[in-house]
Amino acid sequence: MKTLNLYLLTLLAVLLLSSCARKAEEAAEYNDHIVEHQLDIIESFDRFDSVFVDSVATKDQIEFVYVNMQSTIKSSILALDSIGPFQKDPLLEVAARDLFKAYDQVVSNEYRQLTDIKLLPAESITTAIVDSSFSIQMRIHDISKMAQEKFLMAQDSFGKKYNLLFEE
C-alpha cells in the first residue's frame, strides 16, 4: 500500500511539474508575440529617424515614414485585441496596450510636429524652430522612456507570476 501511495504521489508531482512547465512556455510565447509587435513599432521609429536626419529626404519619403509609424502602431493595437489576455490574466495585455497608446500619442503629437518642421522650407528655419525641434525630441525621449519603464515593470511582474526569466 505504501508503494502504491508513493507511486501515486510521484505521478502527481510529475504531472504538476509538467503542467507548470507548459504554462510557463505558453506565457513566454505570449510575451514573445507582444514583443514582436513592440519591435515592429521600434523599427518604424528607426526608419522615421533615419529619414528625419537625411538632409535630402523628399516630402514623400518623410510623409511615408510618418504614416508608416502610425499604421504600424495601430495594427499592433489591433493585434492586442485579437490575442487578448493570457489565460484570463490581462496584466501584460493592458501594459502593452498602454505602451502602444503612449506611442500612438507621441506620434500624433510630437512626431507630427517634427514632421511639420522637417517639411518647412530651409529659409524658414530659425533658431527658435531648431530649439523647438530639440525640445520636441527631448519630450519624445521622456515620454517613451516613462512608458517603456512602466511596461517593463508589468512585464517583470508577469514573468515572476509565470516563472519566466527575461533577457536584459
Side-chain angles (χ1 to χ4, degrees):
M1 189 65 157
K2 283 185 179 182
T3 306
L4 180 60
N5 285 340
L6 183 60
Y7 175 74
L8 290 175
L9 189 59
T10 303
L11 181 62
L12 183 61
V14 168
L15 289 174
L16 183 63
L17 287 174
S18 66
S19 172
C20 290
R22 181 66 193 144
K23 192 171 198 172
E25 184 179 319
E26 290 172 356
E29 290 170 3
Y30 181 83
N31 176 74
D32 290 349
H33 192 69
I34 288 174
V35 169
E36 285 174 21
H37 288 284
Q38 184 182 11
L39 291 174
D40 289 344
I41 294 169
I42 300 297
E43 287 172 7
S44 74
F45 286 154
D46 289 344
R47 285 189 297 273
F48 178 89
D49 292 343
S50 294
V51 171
F52 185 76
V53 298
D54 184 352
S55 60
V56 295
T58 67
K59 178 182 180 191
D60 288 342
Q61 289 171 317
I62 295 164
E63 287 292 342
F64 176 80
V65 294
Y66 177 77
V67 170
N68 179 263
M69 277 192 309
Q70 287 181 312
S71 66
T72 300
I73 293 167
K74 296 210 184 304
S75 69
S76 294
I77 291 171
L78 289 173
L80 291 176
D81 292 339
S82 70
I83 64 173
F86 178 72
Q87 298 183 354
K88 298 183 182 176
D89 179 357
L91 175 68
L92 196 58
E93 177 196 14
V94 168
R97 187 174 307 282
D98 290 346
L99 177 64
F100 296 173
K101 285 184 177 180
Y103 288 154
D104 191 37
Q105 285 296 312
V106 82
V107 167
S108 295
N109 298 320
E110 284 77 11
Y111 274 97
R112 179 76 255 171
Q113 293 171 354
L114 285 179
T115 300
D116 293 343
I117 290 170
K118 180 69 174 176
L119 295 175
L120 288 172
E123 61 273 4
S124 299
I125 304 295
T126 64
T127 303
I129 290 174
V130 171
D131 291 345
S132 174
S133 175
F134 287 135
S135 176
I136 293 166
Q137 291 174 52
M138 291 302 295
R139 278 198 318 268
I140 290 170
H141 175 267
D142 293 344
I143 292 167
S144 298
K145 183 178 178 184
M146 285 184 356
Q148 181 67 21
E149 286 173 353
K150 188 176 174 185
F151 173 76
L152 289 174
M153 288 183 353
Q155 187 182 44
D156 186 56
S157 294
F158 180 81
K160 287 177 182 171
K161 191 173 190 176
Y162 297 103
N163 299 315
L164 302 177
L165 296 175
F166 296 112
E167 297 174 10
E168 295 288 326

